[in-house]
Amino acid sequence: MIYVLIGLLGLCLGSFVNALVWRLSQQLDADGDPKELTKKQSADLSITKGRSMCPRCKHTLAWYDLVPVFSWVSLGGKCRYCKKPISPQYPLTELATSLLFIISFIVWPFSADSTWVTVAFISWLAILAGLVALVLYDAKYLLLPNRILFPLIGIAVGSTVVQFVVGRPIGDVSAIFWSILIAAGIFWVLFQTSGGRWIGGGDVKFGLLAGLLLGGASQALLYLFIASFLGLLYSLPLMLTKRLTKASKVPFGPFLIAALIIVVLWGDLAINWYSKSLLGL
């Protein structure tokens, strides 16, 4: 039963993610700065107060148009009102978020005497939904917007403080410091050295979020390695086929986010395996 509830929560938050990404794309310009909107546009596009609408015809949607996955399937992937196609991104995002929630619950290292681990899990689910939103936004608009990043960093900071209050070992403070220094510091140096040509400022800020969640130097190094490896796997075939040139822009955010999710969920297992099998420690 708990898996069903976790999955349903993921579906609902996945639906919210779709709305969040679309509304932000209408509110922000290519640099992530607010567009000049009329009072009515601001009200309609409000993330907290705006009514759900079709992105094409802007018709207000009824509750039965908003049931995750089911509504899209029952309508044949088309808007009930204008009959124009609705991107399969919507149900796929909902399903992906639900699946990530269930997997997280399965692999999370819960313990009866570790309240802080439960606190970490609850905040992880909220952050995970935001990570899915960042993947979509960066893949579409080559930007990790502050309006998503800053709230996620705030959740991570608040969760970390609460974790220490309810029993997280105080020695983890040092581990988190090194994690942030590696995850964000290396990107900050690259950003400053290249003047923003090699890496974006959003990637540096994302490094702060990653450092807070990874909580250790080894995990941060593994995160950077996996992100770079995934980026290479994506870019190399495009470079060899000349579909990617020096002028092309490749969003690095999705690779960073994928690496973060992998390391948060399975990083300790990978590090322990590496230490025992290859280093004999």
Side-chain angles (χ1 to χ4, degrees), residues 71-226:
S71 291
W72 188 89
V73 173
S74 65
L75 291 170
K78 295 181 180 180
C79 173
R80 184 187 303 275
Y81 309 98
C82 67
K83 307 304 179 183
K84 292 181 179 179
I86 302 172
S87 171
Q89 166 204 308
Y90 288 83
L92 290 176
T93 298
E94 292 162 356
L95 288 171
T97 307
S98 179
L99 181 60
L100 286 171
F101 273 37
I102 293 171
I103 292 173
S104 295
F105 181 75
I106 291 172
V107 304
W108 204 262
F110 290 105
S111 175
D113 59 348
S114 296
T115 303
W116 71 268
V117 175
T118 302
V119 172
F121 176 73
I122 294 171
S123 62
W124 167 249
L125 292 186
I127 291 170
L128 188 54
L131 294 179
V132 175
L134 287 175
V135 168
L136 293 178
Y137 206 100
D138 198 30
K140 281 189 169 185
Y141 308 109
L142 300 174
L143 182 72
L144 295 173
N146 291 335
R147 290 196 183 182
I148 301 178
L149 268 176
F150 286 164
L152 294 185
I153 292 172
I155 293 172
V157 170
S159 172
T160 302
V161 171
V162 172
Q163 289 170 41
F164 282 112
V165 169
V166 298
R168 183 170 181 176
I170 196 66
D172 283 357
V173 172
S174 175
I176 293 174
F177 169 79
W178 285 107
S179 178
I180 293 173
L181 187 64
I182 293 170
I186 292 176
F187 284 160
W188 180 83
V189 171
L190 290 173
F191 179 77
Q192 295 296 327
T193 302
S194 68
R197 295 190 303 274
W198 297 345
I199 199 164
D203 297 326
V204 179
K205 285 174 277 192
F206 185 81
L208 173 59
L209 173 64
L212 285 164
L213 296 174
L214 294 167
S218 298
Q219 288 84 349
L221 289 171
L222 180 60
Y223 152 76
L224 293 177
F225 170 77
I226 293 176

Side-chain angles (χ1 to χ4, degrees), residues 62-76:
W63 68 267
Y64 44 79
D65 298 318
L66 301 172
V67 181
V69 181
F70 176 80
S71 291
W72 188 89
V73 173
S74 65
L75 291 170

Side-chain angles (χ1 to χ4, degrees), residues 239-273:
M239 294 172 63
L240 293 175
T241 56
K242 297 184 179 180
R243 286 183 291 172
L244 186 65
T245 66
K246 291 183 178 180
S248 302
K249 292 184 177 180
V250 177
F252 195 43
F255 306 120
L256 290 172
I257 293 165
L260 176 60
I261 293 172
I262 290 170
V263 177
V264 167
L265 297 181
W266 296 286
D268 287 344
L269 287 174
I271 291 169
N272 290 336
W273 173 83

